[in-house]
Amino acid sequence: MYSPFRRRECAFRMLVATVIVYTCVETDISTTKLFVGAPQQKQNVQSLLRQHVFDPEPSQTGSLESTGSDSNTALLLEKRGRVDDLDIAQEVIGTVTRLKSSGAVLDLGLDKSGYIHIGDFREGHVDHISEVAAVGDRVKARVVRVGPREALLSVRDLPEFAKRPVSEFTEGDEIDAEVVRIGKAGKQTIIHFDIGAVTHAFALGRGETKLEKGTKLKVKVNEVKRHSISVAPA
């Protein structure tokens, strides 16, 4: 009386012999044409393979479930974390994956990449990015700004990093400020203020403004988000 294992071994040997004979007769040993024009035989052999070769004993291995590529990708992204959850001035470590003439792209192990401008690798002038970085380098840097596509980083210890974190500001605070930059976005004017925070506060307006770079005034905090502070003249 053959044991279950012995019966499976015999079935497998018979299957291999059947496949070899069929291949030689029908395809002249051409593996690229195996089972062409014989769908029923193909189906039968695949069924036998699944039954006797690829399906192990349930009692030995337990049950396994396939998650599929989409769910695997979603799980990977979930484990990697989000760049949007980083704080300004937070220290991160990344691996250089690509060099540009203007800087280096880093894999932070998060859902978005990091970017270091060539001038933020060290003090002083840098002629070429290869002087300060190479693909594969592990780099320790701090977060300067979090954008929609990437996190802007700096290896240099910027003065802003020593200032108050965004979380220390609350709506309604009145703070001494200085205008550091004035820009345009369509019809809107964007005024950037230094209020002693790790990132510049900003105010939005329309048309021209009477304020100039260097103007000092008191502002009131309108809204505090994780990476930004909006203000208005007090």
Side-chain angles (χ1 to χ4, degrees):
M1 195 73 172
Y2 287 109
S3 66
F5 176 81
R6 181 60 176 169
R7 287 200 300 270
R8 287 179 179 273
E9 182 181 9
C10 292
F12 176 73
R13 291 176 181 273
M14 293 175 63
L15 173 62
V16 171
T18 302
V19 172
I20 293 174
V21 171
Y22 180 82
T23 303
C24 294
V25 173
E26 296 293 329
T27 66
D28 195 20
I29 321 292
S30 174
T31 56
T32 60
K33 297 180 180 179
L34 185 62
F35 300 125
V36 173
Q40 186 60 47
Q41 290 89 331
K42 175 183 178 180
Q43 183 178 358
N44 292 341
V45 172
Q46 286 179 333
S47 177
L48 288 170
L49 286 170
R50 286 194 299 271
Q51 180 180 352
H52 294 286
V53 182
F54 300 122
D55 289 344
E57 287 284 353
S59 60
Q60 296 174 352
T61 64
S63 60
L64 298 175
E65 294 181 1
S66 175
T67 57
S69 58
D70 291 341
S71 58
N72 286 340
T73 301
L75 181 61
L76 177 62
L77 290 178
E78 181 181 348
K79 289 182 177 180
R80 286 174 67 89
R82 302 169 66 243
V83 162
D84 289 346
D85 292 334
L86 297 175
D87 292 317
I88 305 299
Q90 181 175 336
E91 188 175 273
V92 296
I93 298 177
T95 302
V96 177
T97 58
R98 186 156 55 97
L99 298 180
K100 298 182 178 181
S101 58
S102 58
V105 179
L106 279 71
D107 180 0
L108 303 176
L110 303 174
D111 63 337
K112 300 174 187 175
S113 59
Y115 181 76
I116 304 177
H117 187 271
I118 187 173
D120 284 323
F121 271 94
R122 70 183 186 195
E123 301 293 341
H125 179 72
V126 179
D127 289 319
H128 195 274
I129 188 63
S130 61
E131 297 177 21
V132 291
V135 173
D137 284 354
R138 295 280 287 172
V139 180
K140 181 185 294 185
R142 298 178 76 176
V143 178
V144 177
R145 186 173 67 252
V146 175
R149 294 184 297 178
E150 62 189 7
L152 183 63
L153 312 172
S154 176
V155 177
R156 295 193 300 126
D157 187 16
L158 302 179
E160 294 93 313
F161 295 153
K163 297 182 179 181
R164 293 171 60 190
V166 173
S167 59
E168 290 188 3
F169 294 83
T170 58
E171 295 179 12
D173 287 349
E174 291 192 3
I175 306 168
D176 292 328
E178 180 180 347
V179 177
V180 292
R181 189 167 76 250
I182 299 175
K184 289 280 189 179
K187 295 182 179 181
Q188 284 190 321
T189 301
I190 306 176
I191 307 169
H192 297 261
F193 298 91
D194 181 357
I195 60 171
V198 292
T199 184
H200 291 155
F202 71 93
L204 298 178
R206 287 188 174 275
E208 299 298 324
T209 177
K210 295 180 180 180
L211 297 176
E212 298 177 349
K213 183 178 179 180
T215 301
K216 295 182 179 181
L217 70 162
K218 191 173 288 292
V219 297
K220 185 176 182 178
V221 176
N222 283 341
E223 185 179 23
V224 179
K225 296 184 178 180
R226 184 159 196 147
H227 305 124
S228 64
I229 304 171
S230 65
V231 298

